[in-house]
């Protein structure tokens, strides 16, 4: 199988999610941002800066508390999001993008621009799939 300019055999491609090594940089990036809500969480943190959990939940309409917690934990483990816990009563937790997270968000910008440019075609194709 050819990926980019390299040739990989079945052994190299039979890799479980998150265990590496990745087939290519895009594979690694998709592992980090994969999931329905992660890109929207990144955009919300980029737009809002440092946000508390409730603020972040309001910035990502439709996300459940469970999914937001799960994705934030994964993004934190991947070094994309920083979680700051303040030892006060009531406890306060704030989330922000790390430098790596800011770079990832910048890399996602052209992808968002591409989707905006082709939105009508994307929606039409999705409607054909449903019908």
């Amino acid at each position: 199988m050819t990926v980019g300019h390299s040739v990989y055999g079945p052994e190299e491609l039979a890799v479980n999610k998150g265990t590496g090594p990745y087939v290519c940089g895009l594979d690694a990036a998709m592992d980090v941002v994969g999931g329905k809500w992660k890109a929207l969480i990144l955009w919300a943190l980029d737009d809002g800066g440092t946000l508390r959990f409730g603020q972040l939940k309001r910035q990502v309409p439709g996300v459940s508390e469970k999914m937001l917690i799960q994705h934030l934990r994964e993004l934190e483990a991947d070094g994309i999001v920083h979680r700051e816990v303040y030892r006060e009563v009531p406890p306060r937790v704030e989330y922000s993008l790390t430098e790596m997270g800011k770079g990832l968000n910048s890399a996602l910008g052209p992808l968002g621009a591409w989707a905006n440019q082709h939105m009508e075609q994307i929606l039409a194709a999705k409607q054909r799939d449903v019908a």
Side-chain angles (χ1 to χ4, degrees):
M1 170 182 264
T2 302
V3 178
H5 296 289
S6 302
V7 176
Y8 295 92
E11 308 81 36
E12 290 88 1
L13 295 175
V15 177
N16 291 330
K17 181 181 182 321
T19 61
Y22 294 106
V23 174
C24 63
L26 184 57
D27 186 21
M30 292 308 296
D31 185 33
V32 173
V33 296
K36 180 176 181 177
W37 303 105
K38 285 185 181 177
L40 297 175
I41 292 167
L42 290 173
W43 286 118
L45 287 171
D46 187 59
D47 188 46
T50 299
L51 297 173
R52 294 177 72 173
F53 184 86
Q55 295 171 310
L56 188 52
K57 188 167 183 334
R58 285 189 292 277
Q59 294 294 318
V60 185
V63 68
S64 69
E65 192 168 310
K66 175 186 173 190
M67 289 308 299
L68 183 55
I69 290 168
Q70 179 181 329
H71 285 320
L72 283 169
R73 284 182 182 154
E74 291 171 4
L75 289 166
E76 182 183 8
D78 288 334
I80 303 300
V81 168
H82 173 72
R83 179 177 185 258
E84 185 72 35
V85 180
Y86 295 91
R87 305 268 180 227
E88 38 187 65
V89 178
R92 178 171 50 119
V93 179
E94 293 180 340
Y95 297 91
S96 59
L97 291 176
T98 63
E99 287 304 312
M100 196 162 104
K102 291 174 186 176
L104 177 58
N105 221 25
S106 295
L108 290 173
L111 183 61
W114 173 86
N116 283 332
Q117 181 181 352
H118 296 90
M119 189 65 71
E120 287 182 27
Q121 297 97 318
I122 293 169
L123 292 172
K126 294 294 179 191
Q127 288 299 319
R128 282 194 303 271
D129 288 346
V130 173

